[in-house]
Amino acid sequence: SFPVIVLISGSGSNLQALIDQSLQGKLDIDIKAVISNKADAFGLERAQKVGIPTHALDHKAFTSREAFDEALQQTIDQYQPKLVILAGFMRILTETFTKHYEGRMLNIHPSLLPKFKGLDTHQRAIDAKEQEHGVSVHFVSSELDAGAVIVQASTKIETDETASSLADKVHALEHVIYPLAVKWFSENRLTLKYGTAHLDDTPLSETGIL
Ligand code: GAR
C-alpha cells in the first residue's frame, strides 16, 4: 500500500487517528516511520505500540536549521515515501526542504487559514472575538502556514469558551479531516497544481468542500 512518513513533536493524537483508520482498513496507507524532533514526544510511543519504526532527531543537536533539515530529509528519504505528513510537527522548515517535498507534504494547522497563522491560535481566535474557529489541512509551501488549503472544518466559539475547551473541539475535527485528506492523496485524487489544491482535477475551491 501507500508509503508515508509522519512527522510529530508531541502527543500525536493525529498520528493515532491515522493509525486507527489504517488498522480498521479505512485508509490504505503504510506508515513506514514516525519521526520526532523531540525524544520524549508521546506520539513515538503510540507508533512503537503498533510496531512502526521511530526516529528522534533532536534539532538542538544541529548547528543550523539547514543541517537539521538535511538530516531530516535523509531520514525520511531512506523510506521512499510518496507522502510526508506533518502532524503537530512544530519546526519551521527551510525552503530547500519544502521545495524537495513540494506537492507531496501535508500539514494540519489549528485555525481557519488564512486566519491565525503561527502559534497559540485558539486563544487568539477568542481574543479576536471570532464567532467561529477551526482547522485546515494544506499542502506545505516555503511560507509558514500559507500553502494551498485542501479542506477545513469549523466550530462555533461559545461565550464561555476557553482556549482549552476550544482546542478539544478542534482536535475532534482534526481527527476527521486529516485522515480524509490523506485518503484522497493515497488514492491519487489530490494534487497541487499551479499553487492550488485539486481533487479529481477540480480546484478544491470549486468542489463545495472548501
Ligand atoms: C494539532 O492541534 C495541530 O493542528 C497542531 O498541533 C497539534 C498537534 O496535536 N499543529 C500546529 O500547531 C502546527 N503549527 P497532536 O500531537 O495531538 O496531533
Side-chain angles (χ1 to χ4, degrees):
S1 57
F2 200 85
V4 306
I5 293 288
V6 182
L7 304 193
I8 62 163
S9 299
S11 160
S13 70
N14 281 285
L15 165 67
Q16 190 68 58
L18 295 168
I19 291 172
D20 290 348
Q21 290 218 7
S22 70
L23 288 177
Q24 291 161 12
K26 293 178 186 164
L27 187 56
D28 192 16
I29 58 169
D30 182 4
I31 305 175
K32 291 286 178 192
V34 171
I35 306 170
S36 173
N37 64 309
K38 295 198 169 173
D40 63 353
F42 180 62
L44 293 175
E45 290 176 40
R46 297 180 189 266
Q48 285 154 11
K49 207 171 167 185
V50 292
I52 298 171
T54 59
H55 298 261
L57 213 60
D58 181 4
H59 60 274
K60 290 190 237 87
F62 294 84
T63 51
S64 66
R65 204 175 276 285
E66 287 72 21
F68 172 71
D69 280 10
E70 211 175 286
L72 186 58
Q73 185 177 313
Q74 278 180 19
T75 309
I76 295 169
D77 285 353
Q78 64 180 301
Y79 294 102
Q80 298 184 277
K82 290 191 176 156
L83 178 67
V84 176
I85 301 170
L86 308 185
F89 185 67
M90 306 302 277
R91 297 292 305 164
I92 289 176
L93 296 161
T94 58
E95 187 163 358
T96 310
F97 185 91
T98 55
K99 278 259 151 32
H100 179 69
Y101 297 106
E102 190 165 33
R104 52 192 185 107
M105 181 159 61
L106 305 183
N107 182 43
I108 189 154
H109 180 76
S111 78
L112 294 171
L113 290 171
K115 285 181 177 169
F116 308 114
K117 294 171 183 173
L119 299 175
D120 205 15
T121 56
H122 309 304
Q123 190 59 53
R124 285 161 61 209
I126 293 170
D127 292 347
K129 304 210 171 350
E130 295 285 331
Q131 308 220 334
E132 279 199 330
H133 181 52
V135 56
S136 309
V137 176
H138 64 93
F139 279 105
V140 176
S141 69
S142 58
E143 210 185 319
L144 181 71
D145 299 330
V149 174
I150 296 161
V151 57
Q152 297 182 313
S154 58
T155 183
K156 189 169 177 282
I157 298 183
E158 304 293 345
T159 46
D160 61 348
E161 201 82 67
T162 64
S164 147
S165 65
L166 194 50
D168 287 347
K169 292 199 291 186
V170 169
H171 256 113
L173 297 173
E174 296 192 11
H175 303 158
V176 176
I177 68 166
Y178 213 6
L180 178 65
V182 169
K183 181 177 163 63
W184 289 337
F185 195 93
S186 72
E187 294 169 343
N188 294 313
R189 298 174 57 196
L190 184 62
T191 47
L192 180 69
K193 271 185 213 160
Y194 321 110
T196 56
H198 289 61
L199 182 65
D200 300 328
D201 279 326
T202 307
L204 260 302
S205 53
E206 290 170 20
T207 58
I209 290 164
L210 241 197

